[in-house]
Amino acid sequence: MTQPDQLRLLAVHAHPDDESSKGAATMAKYVAEGVDVLVATCTGGERGSVLNPAMDRPEVWERLPQVRSEEMAAAREILGVGQEWLGFVDSGLPEGDPLPPLPEGCFALVPLEEAAAPLVALIRRFRPQVMTTYDERGGYPHPDHIKTHEISVHAFEAAGDPDSYPELGEPWQVSKLYYNMSFTLPRTKAIHEAMLGAGLESPYAEMLERWDPAKDISHRVTTRVPCGEYFGIRDRALIAHATQIDPTGRWFSTPMDMQQRVWPTEDFELARSLVDSPTPEDDLFAGIRSRADEEVGAR
Ligand SMILES: [Zn+2]
């Protein structure tokens, strides 16, 4: 295989803040290694709420979309990534029984062909070898996360096909497609048990009781990227999304050294691969780096 001139990673996310909670330490690690990392954010997060009591103020609510855009700018600076908006409108998380209809014009309601077009154009322009997105259930059942999965799979196929979207640039075939799989039952259990073992109060007891083992997807994990030393950067990026994250909340209650010891990886499922990369693996670019690169890396 010819040596790629520059490694490029494209991470597709639904809302501003998702990039900082799903695969963020992995991105920071690859940035540190010289990989060009770009985040595509499908929506502006316009229908998100203010989830941090300290930010729940009228002057924040008045200009929430702009505040979220500023938070995104701060987070991408901390992660060292590029970031582009795909320009869709947040669908919101429908709640109630029966569920209310999705708001007109929202991302989840845009027909697939049309919704995938900006991503196809971005792939052809940025030319990533590796792309990450969510699994078919969206990681969790938010309509925008499921739609993010759908357009990513569609664009992975279409961007390399000269007959698809011929007006959107030269075809580019991404080599590997991954699903983020970091929130698994075994990981949550391991951290829960470590906290109890250290005499700390675990915030996960209730979550674990409600977790249906039949819905655990950890058996699908193919790829564990060691990135514990970048968990601090991940947390700082997440805290930059101040309206979305309470820095005194559950996410931050596990001591850093415990997280790094108990589960020092972020985990992924290799969903599509056009290169030879036997699993399990620990590198999203396995099979893409030239042999020479890998020897340098091993030294
Ligand atoms: Zn989201």
Side-chain angles (χ1 to χ4, degrees), residues 2-8 34 126-127 129 172 288 290 293:
T2 54
Q3 183 177 345
D5 44 356
Q6 167 72 49
L7 297 179
R8 287 178 296 270
F126 181 61
R127 300 190 300 148
Q129 294 92 354
W172 175 262
I288 291 168
S290 71
D293 273 356

Side-chain angles (χ1 to χ4, degrees), residues 51-173:
L51 303 173
N52 175 4
M55 292 294 284
D56 194 356
R57 307 190 302 259
E59 66 272 27
V60 171
W61 276 103
E62 269 164 31
R63 47 188 292 279
L64 189 56
Q66 199 188 332
V67 170
R68 294 203 66 179
S69 169
E70 291 161 9
E71 292 172 349
M72 185 67 237
R76 71 180 172 230
E77 192 78 14
I78 291 164
L79 293 169
V81 301
Q83 184 253 342
E84 295 201 20
W85 303 95
L86 296 186
F88 296 100
V89 177
D90 192 335
S91 308
L93 183 59
E95 280 170 309
D97 187 15
L99 288 174
L102 290 168
E104 203 181 319
C106 73
F107 179 44
L109 292 180
V110 178
L112 181 60
E113 281 281 312
E114 185 186 335
L119 184 56
V120 170
L122 183 61
I123 290 170
R124 289 179 176 174
R125 189 154 39 82
F126 181 61
R127 300 190 300 148
Q129 294 92 354
V130 175
M131 199 170 134
T132 69
T133 187
Y134 312 137
D135 66 74
E136 67 287 349
R137 294 177 310 177
Y140 86 112
H142 189 298
D144 287 335
H145 285 237
I146 293 167
K147 191 75 172 194
T148 297
H149 163 81
E150 292 170 355
I151 68 161
S152 300
V153 171
H154 186 78
F156 179 88
E157 305 289 349
D161 176 2
D163 296 329
S164 292
Y165 304 92
E167 70 288 5
L168 295 182
E170 287 289 305
W172 175 262
Q173 182 58 58

